[in-house]
Structures are given as C-alpha cells and as structure tokens.
Amino acid sequence: MAILEAKNVTKKFGTLRAVQNLSVSVNAGEIFGILGPNGSGKSTLIRCLTGQIKPEEGSISVLNIDVLQDPVGVRELVGIVPEQENPPSFLTAEEYLFFVAQIRKMKNSEKEIDSWFRFLEFGDQRNILCKDLSRGTRQKLMVAQAFMHKPALAFIDEPLINLDPVIQKKIKEYLVNYAKKGNSIFISTHILEIAGEICDRIGILNKGKIVYQGKPKKDLERFFLSSVKHV
C-alpha cells in the first residue's frame, strides 16, 4: 500500500525546471532511495513532497493527506532530516530536542531524548549551544529530532554526511530495522553504497527527471553512470 504518491510533479525556478513531470510512490515498510548527481533535483523533490515548497503542476499524497492542500498537516506527521543541518543557534542541543518534543506534543519525552543522546553518542554535547556544535554533531541532532516521535514516514536528505563510520553504521542499521517495523523512509543521496546496502527500491534522478525506478542493481555504480550519461 502506497503511503506516498506523487504524480506528474513539476517545479520551476524561473526558466529552470528543477523537477519535471515526476511520478513516484513509496509503500509501507519500504526504504526508497532517490539517487542523482548534485543539482539533479533531489532536495527540491523532497521539499515538494513535504510541503515546504509548492510545485506548479501535479499532485502529492502523503499519509493520505493532500500535500498541496495541507502542507502543515503533513509536516506534523512525518520526520525530516534536511540537507543542511540548521537547529536554532540560541538553544542547546537538549533544549532543541525538548522544543521539538513540545511542538510534536510528545509525552514523557525525557526518556526518548536521553536514548538518542546515548544511541548517537553525543550526550556530552547536550548542554552546548547549537551554534557551537560541530557539523557532525548537528547532523546527529537533526536525525534525533526527525525520529524521536516515531513517524510512519521519514524524509532524509543526504543522511550520513559529516558522520564518522561508526555512527554511519549505527544509523544504517537503525533505518533498516525501523522499516522492518512497518515504517517507511525516503532517502535522497548521491552515495551509491547507501542505496545498495539499505534501499528496497531506488529512483535515479537526472535533470529533474526519473530515468530509472526499481530494484537496486548488483552493479549499481556502472548502472547509475550509464543511466545519467544517456539522458
């Protein structure tokens, strides 16, 4: 059953068509990866799917909500890890997670917040202002805020940037186990290894168009390069 379905979506910036007549769907319990080179439209697509920007054409349904009609309602339910980590500079890491918990009306959030500090190994940074955190620590913080309310669908834009190999492995394992519980994940990345390791299906995006959608190929790197080259 599709919990995300986008049909014929087009997003323009002036004369540039960042996303062109694009259709994609994600099923319950599935990790879907959108792959493409820098500038292919991956981040723009996620912003459209999560109601952060409005496309000129097409329809988008997320968790049975019309994104174009109720973008705020969608963002109340899903989790989002943006490409650029941007927690409020004037809050500490812990204050930010409590702030997110209040917005999402989470009960007994202290235990959940503590578990994320332990899991991502940055409890010693909990009282540091976000503006003083390293990029890697800010990335951990954004992962925590996206998942701590246990969303049925999460959008992750370049999930492992700025993270060390140990934390990368932890997050990949977490995502696979999270999907096994019936939740869904939409990942944008240009790192082919991530798609090959954890994604159930992928879409290859080039110049705003999906040029392939289906199971990851065994020789994904060669297939990816061939798909992009011939478009």
Side-chain angles (χ1 to χ4, degrees):
M1 177 181 177
I3 64 170
L4 181 159
E5 189 161 12
K7 295 181 179 179
N8 306 317
V9 174
T10 294
K11 178 58 187 176
K12 305 174 186 176
F13 295 101
T15 59
L16 173 66
R17 287 176 173 258
V19 175
Q20 302 187 56
N21 195 34
L22 185 150
S23 296
V24 66
S25 64
V26 177
N27 298 317
E30 181 177 47
I31 300 179
F32 185 92
I34 195 79
L35 286 74
N38 291 333
S40 60
K42 302 187 302 297
S43 295
T44 298
L45 175 59
I46 284 184
R47 293 172 67 197
C48 289
L49 296 178
T50 54
Q52 297 176 71
I53 56 176
K54 188 174 183 178
E56 282 74 26
E57 300 174 12
S59 63
I60 305 170
S61 174
V62 171
L63 300 174
N64 294 319
I65 298 175
D66 186 326
V67 176
L68 305 187
Q69 296 297 320
D70 189 10
V72 175
V74 169
R75 293 196 295 274
E76 286 178 346
L77 297 179
V78 303
I80 304 174
V81 180
E83 181 181 20
Q84 299 293 329
E85 69 283 346
N86 56 355
S89 61
F90 54 87
L91 296 178
T92 66
E94 184 175 54
E95 288 171 341
Y96 174 58
L97 292 184
F98 273 110
F99 171 70
V100 172
Q102 286 184 320
I103 290 177
R104 296 197 176 281
K105 299 177 182 178
M106 292 175 58
K107 296 180 179 179
N108 303 316
S109 57
E110 294 90 347
K111 185 177 180 179
E112 183 68 19
I113 289 171
D114 285 343
S115 71
W116 278 101
F117 277 122
R118 289 194 303 272
F119 177 62
L120 295 180
E121 302 178 19
F122 69 121
D124 59 335
Q125 303 289 302
R126 64 195 303 156
N127 295 316
I128 304 296
L129 289 174
C130 290
K131 70 180 182 66
D132 296 325
L133 297 173
S134 68
R135 292 190 66 182
T137 303
R138 290 201 301 269
Q139 183 72 7
K140 293 178 183 180
L141 189 61
M142 299 312 291
V143 171
Q145 63 82 28
F147 282 94
M148 64 183 192
H149 66 296
K150 305 295 191 298
L153 173 62
F155 295 85
I156 312 177
D157 199 348
E158 299 293 353
L160 305 180
I161 55 174
N162 307 313
L163 297 175
D164 65 67
V166 172
I167 299 300
Q168 287 186 15
K169 184 175 185 294
K170 275 193 169 189
I171 290 178
K172 284 188 288 187
E173 291 174 349
Y174 176 84
L175 296 179
V176 170
N177 291 328
Y178 195 74
K180 286 180 178 178
K181 297 175 182 178
N183 303 299
S184 303
I185 300 165
F186 188 100
I187 292 180
S188 163
T189 184
H190 65 274
I191 302 176
L192 302 183
E193 291 81 359
I194 295 176
E197 286 180 35
I198 70 173
C199 291
D200 300 298
R201 287 192 302 126
I202 62 168
I204 296 178
L205 190 64
N206 191 38
K207 298 179 181 178
K209 298 179 180 179
I210 286 188
V211 296
Y212 171 80
Q213 191 171 172
K215 296 286 186 180
K217 300 290 183 177
K218 288 184 179 180
D219 192 353
L220 184 56
E221 182 175 2
R222 182 179 298 175
F223 179 72
F224 173 81
L225 292 174
S226 176
S227 298
V228 171
K229 182 178 179 180
H230 290 94
V231 173

